[in-house]
Amino acid sequence: MENASQITPSPNPSHEGRGEKIKTSLYRAGGEINWQPWMLPLLTLLGLGLRLFRLDFRSLWLDEAYSLKLASADLSGILSGAAMDIHPPLYHLILAGWIRLLGTSEFALRALPALLGALLIPLVFKLAADWAGRRAAWWTAGLVTVSPYFIEISRTGRMASLLVLLCAGSVFYYWRFLHSGLRRHAWGYWFFTLAAFYTHYFAFLVFLAQHLFVFMGIGKLKLTREIRKTWMLLQMFLLVGFAPWLPNFWDHLSRGGPSWRGVGASWWEPLHSVYAFLLGTACWTLTNKILALSFLGAAGLVVAGACWRQGAACFQQMAPRVWGWLLTLLVVPLTVVWVYSLNKINVFDDRYLSISALPVFIVAGSLVARLPKFRRLLAALLVMAGFAVPLWNQYFVYGYYDNWRELAVQIKAEARASDLIAVYPSWNETPLDYYLKQEFVIQGLPGTYHPLSGNTDLYFHIDRESVHQLQSIFSARPRVWLVLVNPGETQDIIREWLLQEY
């Protein structure tokens, strides 16, 4: 029998619809169709369509190709590969089963995160309904449906969309458990949190925010003894569940943590993350940025004007403890990553800070829901106009990723079977080999960089052994195709490397 120990939430009469029963009949009394039960599934299908549209428009980039290569291995290969990589193995294990059913095309690879990204929409609706009421939940779910940021992370064949889905599930059951004490909520929290740990190490930032909120509000939350006891047991079960991967986690930390590029964070990085939460990274030109931000800024002015008129009532849609929780969920991950980056390497990868984007959208949905009807419509139109620019870029403009598909077509058209394809840096063998379909011999050029500082001066280690290795590569075949990611800088160093005398 379930434990029904509860704490009583602060009364908030403005939370409309929390106690209402949703009509499930397809037809109303007058014979008209009742669309309410169908709205959330239709919204989810719309989100799925936006994520699947032109999904194979751009070629795979390095990380996607690596995920595909790792998922193509057997179970032991996936686990050992993940242990040597910087991410836990869950996403690649799921992807392994996915590609064995649907194949290894660009569309098939990205369809998995697209589906996971669409499933986030009803979960976000549930979260927002718990915290801000049903009207705010509809607006929040609508914003997530058309958000360039959430669409972008759902169109990349990596674990970002799985991470945010699992973290959102963890947060959902976390909140439900603290306010009900029910065992099904406790086990739901355990499952989603543990799965998030096995997906990406940034899940620990959400875990930290949850504990910090409980610690700060321990007096006001008034948790029963039974809830506190179950909460401690949950932490023990999480430790036991993650124990098999703890040695790998420690090894990753000792090698610099979940980081691999950049030269440190600036003071502007947290602000840049909030910008990325709104628009993603698909506004590549200054004109794009100005245009998109102008529309979103105008929408913000509409909301701010209405809030100014309503005064404190505008913020009463959510209880004070909800505001505190959303602020904790936003600030803690951003602050921890920023502080870590100041001393190590830039790990401000906004794809994996996605759980901190949800408070931004829930607050926005809550405020828009409070607007008068005309202002609500105007704000929605301005937001859509701002979102249109990055969405257009995602669907129709290639962007800044390397076009390995086009390069492979050129090589196939002009190269002979006896030619050698030399690639620098060597890790770019993976996406190029995917498009060349193993029709040519590909050789990665030797080179490395400092894993913590990201110092690119160490890309080329010029010594007798490396020079001989490079010279042997270029003399092995009649013709060598040299593929360079940064041609200007790299050609000069390779020329120096080849002419170096000892």
mmCIF file of all heavy atoms in Angstrom, residues 422-445:
data_model
loop_
_atom_site.group_PDB
_atom_site.id
_atom_site.type_symbol
_atom_site.label_atom_id
_atom_site.label_comp_id
_atom_site.label_asym_id
_atom_site.label_seq_id
_atom_site.Cartn_x
_atom_site.Cartn_y
_atom_site.Cartn_z
ATOM 1 N N ALA A 422 44.347 11.916 -46.945
ATOM 2 C CA ALA A 422 44.981 12.299 -45.685
ATOM 3 C C ALA A 422 44.139 13.385 -45.020
ATOM 4 O O ALA A 422 43.842 14.415 -45.631
ATOM 5 C CB ALA A 422 46.400 12.796 -45.930
ATOM 6 N N VAL A 423 43.750 13.154 -43.762
ATOM 7 C CA VAL A 423 42.825 14.048 -43.073
ATOM 8 C C VAL A 423 43.505 14.618 -41.834
ATOM 9 O O VAL A 423 44.163 13.886 -41.077
ATOM 10 C CB VAL A 423 41.539 13.304 -42.648
ATOM 11 C CG1 VAL A 423 40.548 14.263 -42.023
ATOM 12 C CG2 VAL A 423 40.924 12.597 -43.836
ATOM 13 N N TYR A 424 43.330 15.927 -41.653
ATOM 14 C CA TYR A 424 43.788 16.550 -40.421
ATOM 15 C C TYR A 424 42.684 17.450 -39.874
ATOM 16 O O TYR A 424 42.084 18.214 -40.620
ATOM 17 C CB TYR A 424 45.053 17.389 -40.620
ATOM 18 C CG TYR A 424 45.492 17.958 -39.289
ATOM 19 C CD1 TYR A 424 46.259 17.190 -38.430
ATOM 20 C CD2 TYR A 424 45.051 19.199 -38.868
ATOM 21 C CE1 TYR A 424 46.594 17.673 -37.175
ATOM 22 C CE2 TYR A 424 45.372 19.679 -37.614
ATOM 23 C CZ TYR A 424 46.149 18.914 -36.768
ATOM 24 O OH TYR A 424 46.454 19.383 -35.534
ATOM 25 N N PRO A 425 42.390 17.391 -38.572
ATOM 26 C CA PRO A 425 42.935 16.464 -37.564
ATOM 27 C C PRO A 425 42.432 15.045 -37.786
ATOM 28 O O PRO A 425 41.414 14.837 -38.445
ATOM 29 C CB PRO A 425 42.418 17.040 -36.254
ATOM 30 C CG PRO A 425 42.011 18.435 -36.532
ATOM 31 C CD PRO A 425 41.544 18.429 -37.941
ATOM 32 N N SER A 426 43.105 14.090 -37.195
ATOM 33 C CA SER A 426 42.857 12.681 -37.503
ATOM 34 C C SER A 426 41.450 12.238 -37.137
ATOM 35 O O SER A 426 40.904 11.321 -37.756
ATOM 36 C CB SER A 426 43.888 11.808 -36.782
ATOM 37 O OG SER A 426 43.804 11.995 -35.380
ATOM 38 N N TRP A 427 40.819 12.876 -36.124
ATOM 39 C CA TRP A 427 39.495 12.411 -35.707
ATOM 40 C C TRP A 427 38.422 12.701 -36.752
ATOM 41 O O TRP A 427 37.327 12.186 -36.676
ATOM 42 C CB TRP A 427 39.102 13.012 -34.363
ATOM 43 C CG TRP A 427 39.319 14.489 -34.252
ATOM 44 C CD1 TRP A 427 38.520 15.470 -34.737
ATOM 45 C CD2 TRP A 427 40.412 15.144 -33.606
ATOM 46 N NE1 TRP A 427 39.033 16.708 -34.442
ATOM 47 C CE2 TRP A 427 40.197 16.544 -33.733
ATOM 48 C CE3 TRP A 427 41.537 14.693 -32.915
ATOM 49 C CZ2 TRP A 427 41.086 17.481 -33.213
ATOM 50 C CZ3 TRP A 427 42.410 15.626 -32.396
ATOM 51 C CH2 TRP A 427 42.187 17.000 -32.543
ATOM 52 N N ASN A 428 38.743 13.524 -37.756
ATOM 53 C CA ASN A 428 37.780 13.786 -38.826
ATOM 54 C C ASN A 428 37.722 12.650 -39.845
ATOM 55 O O ASN A 428 36.984 12.750 -40.840
ATOM 56 C CB ASN A 428 38.120 15.096 -39.523
ATOM 57 C CG ASN A 428 37.701 16.304 -38.701
ATOM 58 O OD1 ASN A 428 36.577 16.386 -38.236
ATOM 59 N ND2 ASN A 428 38.622 17.224 -38.494
ATOM 60 N N GLU A 429 38.500 11.594 -39.607
ATOM 61 C CA GLU A 429 38.349 10.395 -40.436
ATOM 62 C C GLU A 429 36.924 9.852 -40.356
ATOM 63 O O GLU A 429 36.390 9.332 -41.337
ATOM 64 C CB GLU A 429 39.313 9.297 -39.963
ATOM 65 C CG GLU A 429 40.773 9.577 -40.143
ATOM 66 C CD GLU A 429 41.608 8.438 -39.588
ATOM 67 O OE1 GLU A 429 41.339 7.279 -39.959
ATOM 68 O OE2 GLU A 429 42.509 8.705 -38.769
ATOM 69 N N THR A 430 36.310 9.953 -39.190
ATOM 70 C CA THR A 430 35.022 9.302 -38.943
ATOM 71 C C THR A 430 33.910 9.818 -39.856
ATOM 72 O O THR A 430 33.255 9.011 -40.538
ATOM 73 C CB THR A 430 34.617 9.455 -37.471
ATOM 74 O OG1 THR A 430 35.684 8.998 -36.642
ATOM 75 C CG2 THR A 430 33.381 8.634 -37.169
ATOM 76 N N PRO A 431 33.623 11.136 -39.915
ATOM 77 C CA PRO A 431 32.544 11.564 -40.809
ATOM 78 C C PRO A 431 32.886 11.395 -42.282
ATOM 79 O O PRO A 431 32.001 11.078 -43.086
ATOM 80 C CB PRO A 431 32.363 13.054 -40.457
ATOM 81 C CG PRO A 431 33.650 13.467 -39.847
ATOM 82 C CD PRO A 431 34.167 12.267 -39.139
ATOM 83 N N LEU A 432 34.166 11.568 -42.645
ATOM 84 C CA LEU A 432 34.530 11.411 -44.060
ATOM 85 C C LEU A 432 34.413 9.956 -44.492
ATOM 86 O O LEU A 432 33.931 9.654 -45.591
ATOM 87 C CB LEU A 432 35.960 11.923 -44.278
ATOM 88 C CG LEU A 432 36.433 11.952 -45.733
ATOM 89 C CD1 LEU A 432 35.501 12.797 -46.599
ATOM 90 C CD2 LEU A 432 37.856 12.487 -45.823
ATOM 91 N N ASP A 433 34.811 9.044 -43.627
ATOM 92 C CA ASP A 433 34.711 7.622 -43.950
ATOM 93 C C ASP A 433 33.252 7.192 -44.109
ATOM 94 O O ASP A 433 32.932 6.316 -44.913
ATOM 95 C CB ASP A 433 35.383 6.799 -42.851
ATOM 96 C CG ASP A 433 35.480 5.338 -43.206
ATOM 97 O OD1 ASP A 433 36.017 5.031 -44.287
ATOM 98 O OD2 ASP A 433 35.008 4.485 -42.414
ATOM 99 N N TYR A 434 32.344 7.826 -43.342
ATOM 100 C CA TYR A 434 30.921 7.505 -43.456
ATOM 101 C C TYR A 434 30.426 7.788 -44.869
ATOM 102 O O TYR A 434 29.669 6.979 -45.452
ATOM 103 C CB TYR A 434 30.120 8.324 -42.448
ATOM 104 C CG TYR A 434 28.628 8.207 -42.601
ATOM 105 C CD1 TYR A 434 27.928 7.134 -42.075
ATOM 106 C CD2 TYR A 434 27.908 9.178 -43.308
ATOM 107 C CE1 TYR A 434 26.555 7.020 -42.223
ATOM 108 C CE2 TYR A 434 26.534 9.074 -43.463
ATOM 109 C CZ TYR A 434 25.862 7.999 -42.929
ATOM 110 O OH TYR A 434 24.494 7.892 -43.095
ATOM 111 N N TYR A 435 30.844 8.906 -45.459
ATOM 112 C CA TYR A 435 30.340 9.278 -46.785
ATOM 113 C C TYR A 435 31.138 8.629 -47.919
ATOM 114 O O TYR A 435 30.598 8.426 -49.009
ATOM 115 C CB TYR A 435 30.363 10.801 -46.938
ATOM 116 C CG TYR A 435 29.263 11.461 -46.152
ATOM 117 C CD1 TYR A 435 29.529 12.108 -44.949
ATOM 118 C CD2 TYR A 435 27.943 11.409 -46.580
ATOM 119 C CE1 TYR A 435 28.520 12.695 -44.210
ATOM 120 C CE2 TYR A 435 26.920 11.986 -45.839
ATOM 121 C CZ TYR A 435 27.216 12.632 -44.662
ATOM 122 O OH TYR A 435 26.204 13.191 -43.927
ATOM 123 N N LEU A 436 32.394 8.275 -47.665
ATOM 124 C CA LEU A 436 33.170 7.586 -48.707
ATOM 125 C C LEU A 436 32.882 6.092 -48.730
ATOM 126 O O LEU A 436 33.320 5.398 -49.654
ATOM 127 C CB LEU A 436 34.658 7.821 -48.479
ATOM 128 C CG LEU A 436 35.152 9.245 -48.777
ATOM 129 C CD1 LEU A 436 36.634 9.376 -48.462
ATOM 130 C CD2 LEU A 436 34.881 9.634 -50.224
ATOM 131 N N LYS A 437 32.174 5.604 -47.716
ATOM 132 C CA LYS A 437 31.723 4.204 -47.670
ATOM 133 C C LYS A 437 32.892 3.230 -47.822
ATOM 134 O O LYS A 437 32.773 2.187 -48.480
ATOM 135 C CB LYS A 437 30.688 3.928 -48.764
ATOM 136 C CG LYS A 437 29.496 4.866 -48.751
ATOM 137 C CD LYS A 437 28.701 4.789 -47.487
ATOM 138 C CE LYS A 437 27.478 5.704 -47.523
ATOM 139 N NZ LYS A 437 26.750 5.732 -46.240
ATOM 140 N N GLN A 438 34.048 3.586 -47.247
ATOM 141 C CA GLN A 438 35.235 2.729 -47.243
ATOM 142 C C GLN A 438 35.744 2.407 -48.642
ATOM 143 O O GLN A 438 36.401 1.380 -48.854
ATOM 144 C CB GLN A 438 34.954 1.435 -46.465
ATOM 145 C CG GLN A 438 34.553 1.685 -45.023
ATOM 146 C CD GLN A 438 34.272 0.416 -44.248
ATOM 147 O OE1 GLN A 438 34.098 -0.658 -44.826
ATOM 148 N NE2 GLN A 438 34.213 0.528 -42.932
ATOM 149 N N GLU A 439 35.450 3.289 -49.616
ATOM 150 C CA GLU A 439 35.933 3.069 -50.981
ATOM 151 C C GLU A 439 37.374 3.537 -51.164
ATOM 152 O O GLU A 439 38.024 3.190 -52.148
ATOM 153 C CB GLU A 439 35.034 3.812 -51.970
ATOM 154 C CG GLU A 439 33.599 3.285 -52.008
ATOM 155 C CD GLU A 439 32.725 4.060 -52.965
ATOM 156 O OE1 GLU A 439 33.285 4.821 -53.790
ATOM 157 O OE2 GLU A 439 31.490 3.914 -52.902
ATOM 158 N N PHE A 440 37.888 4.333 -50.225
ATOM 159 C CA PHE A 440 39.252 4.836 -50.302
ATOM 160 C C PHE A 440 39.943 4.611 -48.966
ATOM 161 O O PHE A 440 39.305 4.493 -47.924
ATOM 162 C CB PHE A 440 39.264 6.335 -50.632
ATOM 163 C CG PHE A 440 38.653 6.682 -51.959
ATOM 164 C CD1 PHE A 440 37.289 6.947 -52.055
ATOM 165 C CD2 PHE A 440 39.421 6.732 -53.100
ATOM 166 C CE1 PHE A 440 36.710 7.271 -53.265
ATOM 167 C CE2 PHE A 440 38.849 7.050 -54.322
ATOM 168 C CZ PHE A 440 37.495 7.322 -54.408
ATOM 169 N N VAL A 441 41.278 4.571 -49.038
ATOM 170 C CA VAL A 441 42.071 4.476 -47.812
ATOM 171 C C VAL A 441 42.189 5.872 -47.217
ATOM 172 O O VAL A 441 42.594 6.821 -47.887
ATOM 173 C CB VAL A 441 43.470 3.908 -48.109
ATOM 174 C CG1 VAL A 441 44.321 3.915 -46.837
ATOM 175 C CG2 VAL A 441 43.358 2.502 -48.674
ATOM 176 N N ILE A 442 41.797 6.001 -45.948
ATOM 177 C CA ILE A 442 41.854 7.282 -45.257
ATOM 178 C C ILE A 442 42.893 7.195 -44.154
ATOM 179 O O ILE A 442 42.901 6.249 -43.369
ATOM 180 C CB ILE A 442 40.485 7.653 -44.659
ATOM 181 C CG1 ILE A 442 39.423 7.727 -45.755
ATOM 182 C CG2 ILE A 442 40.555 8.985 -43.917
ATOM 183 C CD1 ILE A 442 38.034 8.028 -45.243
ATOM 184 N N GLN A 443 43.774 8.183 -44.116
ATOM 185 C CA GLN A 443 44.832 8.219 -43.118
ATOM 186 C C GLN A 443 44.766 9.537 -42.354
ATOM 187 O O GLN A 443 44.832 10.610 -42.948
ATOM 188 C CB GLN A 443 46.215 8.104 -43.795
ATOM 189 C CG GLN A 443 47.392 8.251 -42.854
ATOM 190 C CD GLN A 443 47.480 7.121 -41.852
ATOM 191 O OE1 GLN A 443 47.576 5.958 -42.231
ATOM 192 N NE2 GLN A 443 47.447 7.444 -40.567
ATOM 193 N N GLY A 444 44.617 9.445 -41.045
ATOM 194 C CA GLY A 444 44.629 10.656 -40.232
ATOM 195 C C GLY A 444 46.038 11.145 -39.995
ATOM 196 O O GLY A 444 46.948 10.357 -39.734
ATOM 197 N N LEU A 445 46.255 12.450 -40.115
ATOM 198 C CA LEU A 445 47.572 13.021 -39.874
ATOM 199 C C LEU A 445 47.832 13.125 -38.380
ATOM 200 O O LEU A 445 46.950 13.509 -37.616
ATOM 201 C CB LEU A 445 47.679 14.412 -40.505
ATOM 202 C CG LEU A 445 47.509 14.454 -42.031
ATOM 203 C CD1 LEU A 445 47.698 15.880 -42.520
ATOM 204 C CD2 LEU A 445 48.495 13.524 -42.708
#
